Amino acid sequence: MKLRALLPLLAFLILVVLLGYGLTRNPKDIPSPLINKAAPAFDLPAVLNPDDKVSDKNFLGKVTVFNVWASWCSACRDEHPILVKFAKEHKTTIYGLNYKDQRADAIRWLGIFGNPYIASAYDVTGNTGIDWGVYGVPETFIIDKKGIIRYKQIGPVTDKIIADKILPLIRKLEKE
Amino acid sequence: MNPIKQISFTLILVLTSLSISAAINVYQFDDPVKKERFYNLIDELRCTVCQNQTIAASNAGLAKDLRNKTYKMIQAGKTDDEIKTFMVERFTDFVLYNPPVNNSTLLLWIGPAVLMLIAFIFLISNIRKRVSTPVTEIDAQEHERVQTLLKQKKDGNND
Amino acid sequence: MIPELGHFSLILALSLAIAQAFFPLVGAQLNKTRWMAVAKPAAHGQFIFLSIAFAALTTSFINNDFSVLYVATNSNSLLPVQYRISAVWGAHEGSLLLWSLILGIWTLAVSLFSKHLPPAMVSRVLGVMGLISIGFLLFMLFTSNPFDRLLPAAIEGRDLNPLLQDFGLIIHPPMLYMGYVGFSVAFAFAIAALLGGQLDSAWARWSRPWTTMAWCFLTIGIALGSWWAYYELGWGGWWFWDPVENASFMPWLIGTALIHSLAVTEKRGSFKSWTVMLAILAFSLSLLGTFLVRSGVVTSVHAFATDPTRGVFILAFLGVVIGGSLLLYAFKAGNIKSAGRFSLFSRETLLLTNNIILVVVCATVLLGTLYPLVLDAMGAGKISVGMPYFNYMFTLFMLPLVFLMAIGPLTRWKRQSINDLLGKITIIFIISVLTGIASYFMLGTISWSVAGVIALFTWIIGSSLINLYKRVENKPNKITALTTIPLSFYGMFLAHIGVAVFMMGVTFTSHYSEEKDIRMKPGDSLDMAGYNFQFEGATEVNGPNYRAQQGSIVISQNNRKITTLKPQKRLYLVQRSPMTEAAIDASLSRDLFIAMGEPLGNGEWSIRIQYKPLIRWIWLGTIIMAIGGLLSISDKRYRYKRKRLAS
């Protein structure tokens, strides 16, 4: 047996390892290019009161959770009670970005399911969403005291993710 | 997975992943060059929320927004590179169907040519080697064996 | 009751597959005739039980038995009956059953048409096919049973995905699977030959018609898929280099290489270990395609609903089948002595060059498809590899191949003198170049690259004709001499012309298509590509399970009406999904393609109008290639059975 004859087998085994690794990944998860960059600027009216403004300036000086949601998004409904509970149990600043929604629907939604947000920015055009690289609602960002994005969660936040990733990170960032 | 869960799973998949009606958008251009650039660009940008579609082909909300954004940027006089950079800054290189050449894509871009080169060097040296080796006896033996195996075909071939 | 019958038949088929694999393979090794004799009856029985299972599932679909989970998820009582039948293979579980049934059909065919082969060879071939069948049946029974019950039964089904409610999708998957699974025959022959240590010209001759047959099916299957995407997805594209498309294209590329390499092995006894490798690769890539489509590892428009356990199962199966055969190859390939000496310039070298280019193109497609995964695995971020990359690479490598394709058939085995070849082709070469130049100046708006393709087209057609002429040159009656040329020659002749026709279609469609997305109200008209399109408005029409807005567009040329096209925008009632049903006026020289976008109020619509020159040549070319394949299978040297009957 020549060693050369083993080459195809070797190449195939590498391929199998690669494909096996692929099974553990979601090919649609894109890491955010905004990690460790300044939060993109925006200045939008608030959902509940159009005269109030929500902007990236609100995030400065404290660790902020910024959650992108919409009333039309079914995964947001699964996520929402967890956020409400999280807001109650921990004194964390949570802002919302209401993405491509109707104001009346959004207000009704908050009325029914509870409002964990200090305020939600009303992004009816989706332009702020584009600037934040939002592509699948819900998404959740964690921003440090200096207004730098430190973490992004794509898809609904779960209790496990809060316990394993979000809370430890917030604790760490608060000490910085 | 239990049956009911599977049904709802499939259902969600069908509802969210397929955008099966053609995305047709009417954009006005005064300048044919801009128009051409626009259509080329949206054909090379990936709709990040879709299964595997360009923003030109998808009807998803985000694809529409990105088409509109591209249109506005072209009309505002931005270059193709500026528009691509804008998209990459927000969605990473994932949005480019034409991956840029850099360290991590080097293998992708030159791999095929290198492989072709190696294959041909191997081919030529192999043939040279072959020409210089004498004919082995195997040839004759095998010839005989093959003829026996294929004999009945020969028998029938007298037409 | 019927679903249980189907389920039970699958279990019986599995038992028979085990018998079909075990006894003949071991029997052939130990030279036990009785054990080997199990192969054929087991194969026939397996085929019968697979047919019963398939018939059972089809019956459940026709009877709208929504107590079967798979039926409930993929059908509906309003679904027209032909789609209820094609819904059998409309999703993961049922398409696996189709796959298994087709494997059963190929196995049956091998057992029926191999009477002239040595018993040990037949036993091994059938045994290997039995092994493959075991894998798929286990996969189906353990992770994807199409007969699973849904209790209590659903009152109504979720309906078949509207995209699949279409004629193209009735025939595309069976054709494609006939191709994929057909390569299992070539694979089984290769493994059998390795096991028996009998790699020779005879082996090549036996497996060649099977390989060509599978290749024909795959060619047609892929073409059907592309044709379907063209008219059904509503954007007028015919190939997207989507991972799932690539998954079907890679076995095709290797299959094409294999056909050529088998020719050398059959006629000259050379390239044996290489040919075996290709046979293993072709089927391995078919299996890899199954994995890519069903595991969710890559993002694709066409993927089935995925489930990680399925991915793990197929990967394990891949590991056993491909890993096992590559290991066997590693042990045995060293002993293979290749006969046949040839010089650097000979038909052998050109065929090897063909093989190298096709394999490298296949490797490139694989690289592009999996590269995002590789980068992700190394933590280097996410990228997309799409159409621009593949088009670039493909054109770069395929053009030289097409150029050489014209020369290959004109060269001699073993050694070709350059002068002799030049004598044959110089005139054609000059004519081709002149045609290219002339078309550049005469056709007005064409670019040099298109002129180059026209020259290449002339080059292939011209040299093919020369080759035909050389065959009858010295015969007294040239016309009757044409009938004495072997069919396999005409097969190759046509297949190569098919490639040329395909290339013209691709080039003209991609360079000269015109497309407009415009807003039209009733009475509006548009002039494009020499045609006038007048929108007459849209009316509501109802189908069995959908409602549609149907536009009416009158097309005229030089004030003469050509046709009225009626594209639809459909809303399927069960899945609530909108669908574009494009209307196409097709002809050999161009397609006029119209799709409805969105209603914009006051009877106005956004409408896409496309002019696609020579697009039919793309599919015409592939049909010609497939006919070429069929012709070469019909060559009389493969006809063993009839001869035996005659004698």
Side-chain angles (χ1 to χ4, degrees), chain C residues 172-194:
Chain C
H172 162 64
M175 287 292 150
L176 199 63
Y177 287 10
M178 282 299 283
Y180 280 156
V181 183
F183 282 139
S184 72
V185 182
F187 172 80
F189 267 98
I191 298 298
L194 280 178

Side-chain angles (χ1 to χ4, degrees), chain A residues 18-28, chain C residues 243 291-300 303 306 311-312 315 369-370 372-373 376 382:
Chain A
L18 179 72
L19 294 174
Y21 171 80
L23 283 176
T24 66
R25 304 282 298 183
N26 178 356
K28 289 178 71 187
Chain C
F291 175 81
L292 291 180
V293 176
R294 294 166 202 267
S295 68
V297 158
V298 289
T299 320
S300 155
T306 54
V312 172
L315 191 60
T369 308
L370 293 182
L373 187 60
D376 187 33
K382 291 255 172 157

Side-chain angles (χ1 to χ4, degrees), chain B residues 22 51-52 94 104 108 139 142, chain C residues 242 272 299 339 371 384 389 580:
Chain B
Q51 282 298 329
N52 183 15
F94 189 76
S104 55
L108 177 72
D139 280 12
E142 184 183 312
Chain C
D242 180 86
K272 285 174 195 159
T299 320
Y371 204 77
S384 301
Y389 172 83
T580 311

Side-chain angles (χ1 to χ4, degrees), chain C residues 365-407:
Chain C
V365 174
L366 185 67
L367 182 71
T369 308
L370 293 182
Y371 204 77
L373 187 60
V374 175
L375 278 195
D376 187 33
M378 299 192 314
K382 291 255 172 157
I383 64 160
S384 301
V385 181
M387 193 116 106
Y389 172 83
F390 290 109
N391 279 349
Y392 174 77
M393 290 292 174
F394 190 69
T395 320
L396 185 70
F397 292 136
M398 287 310 260
L399 285 180
L401 179 67
V402 172
F403 178 81
L404 291 177
M405 186 181 85
I407 303 176

